[in-house]
């Protein structure tokens, strides 16, 4: 069966663009998360037509297909389930058009996030969503996961920056969702597609909004002797009516690890540090710097360091962005969580999260987008230790439950994928899940686009029984 | 306890929402109504049982910058409550007596979209009554969330054709310290290129009006940089018996404005940098001419008031088959706000009876 599938894929794309050797199938069997699957073939299309052809071949063979960018996803979104055809977009990596006047760019899905910002830097523009993985992840993957990043606090997550998407649907047809006009007649299908994790089709061409670089930027490092004080400062800054460009928090363990790794000048003895960026016009920025300083001091900030120049600013950010490189030196394995809580509940939820880690005797660090309440508890461990995985998973489940109980949600930016699919009933009623399943089925009636992701089995509740006579579907 | 009932403060609202859902479920045809400020948007008001969303601000924590409201609450009422904490939610419908549900359903983003983005970016969570009479929730209450599909964006701009919004959670923001309008005879492209985060750049063909918001000293310096003459409040948005909203690529605003200027009796103002134009006139045929001018530039014009002879958008819905499938998934008998969107049942998809 696979032989016929492979032959058809090779005939359609060229044999060098289709791989099925054991090594490739293994390499593309997972993303950066923990779930492992198995592909039947891995395709490397170089054009949108190749993508259409691959999807059509998959349809003819009644096989599922899974879109894949760089595979940096952490929720198993790109993990192949049910021996699908994996379609990798990394060769679709051209910036097609930069429209300086309208501040937008048309790109292929495999363009790396940071490469786009680099390509428009000379125009005084950038692409605002900046996931920590921005050197490695693709714009296509960002759109599929509705990725966030430190600067999404003020600038909004990916969804706010996507204007239009050409999508290859599961039947091989192509639809342009959205457009460069401010609104489109009818439903916001582009809005539905963003964050759909490859379950509604595969993006082959994307128009994104570009953002003007701010004239003034101030980057502050505040250091605290207690986690509670740092968390209270986060809530205090928001409550003071300031929405910084970025507001990141790092706890003691990760601060030390980062400092040992890059020497950004972070205080090694701090219980927590906050990295806060303010941008905009001169007077507003200065006023906000003073305001943040005051809020920090009133919550016991030991020092408030304002980066003196661009070099110091870059160094402070390098520390934050090297966090994952730093932990690789501590233990071979890590499990990075992602959940959101109301910002006013940060102190309380963080305490619970640390208690969960110590209960399970696990090393945990926290480096996260504090300004929007987006927690990233990071468990570091050695997977070879007997029984460790059970504890890691137990801690993860407990953390999610604590976040949901505090009025939070399952994921702020990594997505649901396989990882959290079965936790969806924690936050949604059967009727909610059924509605989501209907939406997905409207995009992909065949159910072949990245099946088994996002929605748990049994999400569709007896819809056939409810369709009245004469109804159109 | 189900997640819906976790918070006792929501209990009253939830009861009201359930009543709406029951009403919707029982009816054969449903016309969701707010305060009627956009009764004629896209076409004559749909026939059916008039259904109204619950009213009231049920949860507001200024420190969280989010607010939970019954969708029948007026923008005016919400603004009043938020301003007590010196916050706002940028809704800005042309008439503040509009309900929040209606504003969302019509996808009105207001004149400050240039800086604050479209309305859909401010909607965190929605709950709506489905055709089958169920309550469905989508999105989530936190400011950041990718848990499941983005139902809020689907509902914004859906004209009540997928469900009757009963409750929404919106993102709020601190009110700007200072705001000042000013105008210049420079063309809007020049103004856009020289300004930074202007809240609005409106152009009527002769005059460019700019709204600057922020720290008072920054506002003053922006006004000076752009050489603006200060003015009291925004320029008038045109009114008339026949009215529409056009959407064109931002780069085409000047060309479209020039075409509209050539139409006798067409009054208009454009949101430069955004691509929205507001057009009004006294004769229906004038609006038809305006629509033609807009479509020639690849845009479309939505009839908002009057002009009974003009259909909704004047262009075919893009991806009509896909949209019809979405519509069918939520409203298989086409009973919700029938006619608001030109979605024809697909013959090939009719279930054999
Ligand atoms: C160290 C590290 C740090 C990270 N930091 C962040 C962060 O700060 N913020 C954040 O949001 N994420 C972060 N991530 C997660 C990850 O980088 C993002 O989810 C990213 O958007 C994935 O992009 P990718 O190209 O690797 O996509 P993949 O992992 O290849 O795919 C992700 C999902 O997108 C789908 N997909 C990919 N391309 C397409 C396409 N063209 N059309 C349709 N569907 C497609 C896949 O099917 C899958 O469901 C981090 C990951 C790591 C390892």
């Amino acid at each position: 069966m696979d032989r016929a599938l492979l032959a058809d894929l090779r005939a359609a794309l060229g044999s060098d663009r289709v791989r099925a050797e054991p090594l490739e199938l293994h390499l593309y069997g997972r993303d950066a998360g923990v779930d492992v699957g198995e592909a039947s073939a891995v395709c490397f299309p170089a054009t949108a037509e190749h993508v259409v052809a691959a999807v059509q071949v998959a349809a003819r063979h009644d096989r599922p297909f899974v879109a894949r960018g760089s595979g940096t996803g952490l929720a198993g979104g790109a993990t192949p389930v049910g021996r699908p055809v994996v379609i990798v977009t990394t060769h679709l990596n051209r910036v097609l058009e930069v429209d300086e006047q309208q501040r937008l760019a048309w790109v292929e899905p495999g363009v790396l996030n940071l490469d786009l910002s680099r390509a428009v830097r000379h125009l005084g523009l950038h692409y605002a969503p900046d996931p920590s993985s921005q050197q490695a992840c693709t714009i296509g993957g960002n759109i599929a996961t509705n990725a966030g990043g430190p600067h999404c606090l003020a600038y909004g997550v990916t969804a706010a920056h996507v204007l239009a998407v050409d999508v290859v649907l599961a039947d091989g047809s192509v639809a342009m969702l959205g457009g460069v006009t401010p609104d489109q007649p009818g439903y916001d299908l582009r809005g539905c597609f963003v964050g759909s994790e490859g379950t509604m089709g595969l993006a082959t061409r994307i128009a994104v909004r570009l953002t003007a670089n701010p004239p003034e930027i101030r980057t502050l490092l505040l250091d605290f002797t207690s986690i509670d004080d740092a968390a209270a400062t986060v809530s205090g800054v928001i409550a003071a009516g300031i929405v910084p460009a970025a507001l990141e928090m790092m706890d003691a363990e990760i601060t030390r690890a980062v400092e040992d790794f890059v020497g950004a000048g972070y205080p090694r003895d701090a219980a927590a540090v906050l990295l806060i960026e303010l941008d905009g016009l001169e007077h507003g920025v200065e006023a906000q710097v003073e305001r943040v300083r005051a809020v920090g001091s009133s919550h016991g900030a030991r020092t408030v360091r304002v980066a003196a120049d661009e070099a110091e600013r870059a160094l402070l950010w390098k520390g934050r962005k090297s966090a994952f490189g730093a932990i690789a030196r501590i233990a071979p394995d890590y499990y990075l969580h992602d959940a959101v809580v109301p910002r006013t509940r940060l102190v309380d939820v963080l305490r619970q999260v640390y208690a969960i880690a110590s209960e399970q005797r696990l090393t945990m660090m926290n480096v996260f987008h504090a300004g929007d309440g987006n927690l990233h508890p990071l468990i570091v461990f050695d997977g070879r230790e007997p029984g460790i995985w059970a504890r890691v998973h137990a801690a993860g489940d407990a953390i999610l439950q604590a976040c949901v109980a505090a009025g939070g949600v399952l994921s702020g930016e990594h997505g649901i994928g396989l990882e959290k699919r079965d936790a969806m009933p924690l936050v949604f009623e059967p009727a909610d899940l059924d509605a989501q399943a209907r939406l997905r089925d409207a995009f992909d009636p065949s159910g072949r686009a990245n099946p088994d992701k996002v929605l748990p089995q049994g999400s569709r509740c007896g819809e056939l029984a409810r369709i009245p006579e004469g109804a159109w579907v | 306890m189900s997640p819906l009932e976790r918070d006792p403060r929501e209990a009253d609202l939830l009861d009201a929402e359930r009543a709406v859902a029951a009403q919707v479920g029982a009816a054969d045809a449903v016309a969701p109504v707010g305060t009627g400020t956009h009764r004629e948007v896209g076409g004559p008001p749909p026939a059916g049982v008039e259904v109204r969303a619950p009213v009231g601000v049920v949860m507001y924590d200024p420190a969280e910058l989010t607010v939970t409201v019954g969708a029948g609450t007026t923008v005016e009422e919400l603004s009043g409550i938020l301003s007590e904490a010196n916050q706002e939610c940028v809704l800005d419908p042309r008439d503040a007596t509009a309900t929040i549900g209606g504003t969302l359903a019509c996808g009105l983003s207001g004149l400050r979209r240039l800086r604050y983005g479209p309305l859909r970016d401010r909607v965190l969570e929605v709950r709506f009554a489905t055709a089958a009479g169920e309550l469905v929730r989508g999105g989530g209450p936190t400011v950041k969330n990718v848990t499941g599909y983005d139902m809020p964006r689907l509902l914004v701009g859906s004209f009540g054709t997928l469900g009757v919004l009963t409750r929404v959670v919106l993102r709020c923001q601190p009110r700007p310290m200072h705001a000042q309008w000013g105008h210049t005879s420079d063309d809007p492209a020049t103004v856009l290129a020289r300004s930074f985060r202007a809240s609005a750049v409106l152009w009527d063909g002769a005059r460019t009006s700019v709204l600057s918001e922020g720290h008072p000293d920054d506002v003053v310096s922006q006004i000076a940089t752009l050489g603006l003459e200060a003015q009291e409040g925004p320029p008038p948005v045109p009114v008339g018996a026949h009215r529409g909203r056009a959407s064109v690529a931002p780069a085409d605003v000047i060309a479209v404005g020039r075409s509209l200027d050539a139409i006798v009796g067409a009054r208009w103002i454009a949101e430069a940098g955004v691509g929205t134009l507001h057009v009004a006139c006294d004769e229906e045929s004038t609006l038809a001419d305006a629509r033609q001018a807009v479509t020639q530039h690849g845009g479309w014009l939505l009839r908002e008031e009057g002009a009974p002879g003009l259909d909704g958008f004047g262009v075919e819905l893009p991806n009509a088959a896909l949209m019809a499938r979405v519509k069918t998934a939520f409203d298989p008998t086409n009973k919700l706000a029938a006619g608001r969107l030109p979605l024809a049942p697909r013959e090939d998809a009719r279930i054999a009876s």
Side-chain angles (χ1 to χ4, degrees), chain A residues 90-162:
Chain A
T90 48
H91 294 189
L92 290 160
N93 59 357
R94 290 172 303 162
V95 175
L96 300 170
E97 186 192 334
V98 174
D99 182 336
E100 184 185 2
Q101 194 208 342
Q102 300 195 94
R103 290 188 184 155
L104 65 89
W106 282 97
V107 301
E108 291 184 324
V111 169
L112 299 185
N113 176 298
L114 192 59
D115 285 350
L116 175 57
S117 280
R118 284 196 180 122
V120 299
R121 186 185 287 161
H122 64 288
L123 301 171
L125 301 171
H126 67 286
Y127 177 60
D130 59 341
S132 311
S133 51
Q134 70 183 142
Q135 300 197 11
C137 62
T138 64
I139 301 282
N142 292 169
I143 275 141
T145 54
N146 193 6
H151 288 85
C152 293
L153 177 57
Y155 290 90
V157 292
T158 300
H161 302 271
V162 180

Side-chain angles (χ1 to χ4, degrees), chain B residues 190-211:
Chain B
T190 310
V191 172
L192 280 170
R194 287 168 49 202
S195 61
F196 178 75
R197 286 187 196 159
S199 296
V201 175
L202 306 182
W203 180 63
D204 64 6
R207 171 185 275 207
T208 305
S209 300
V210 181
L211 174 62

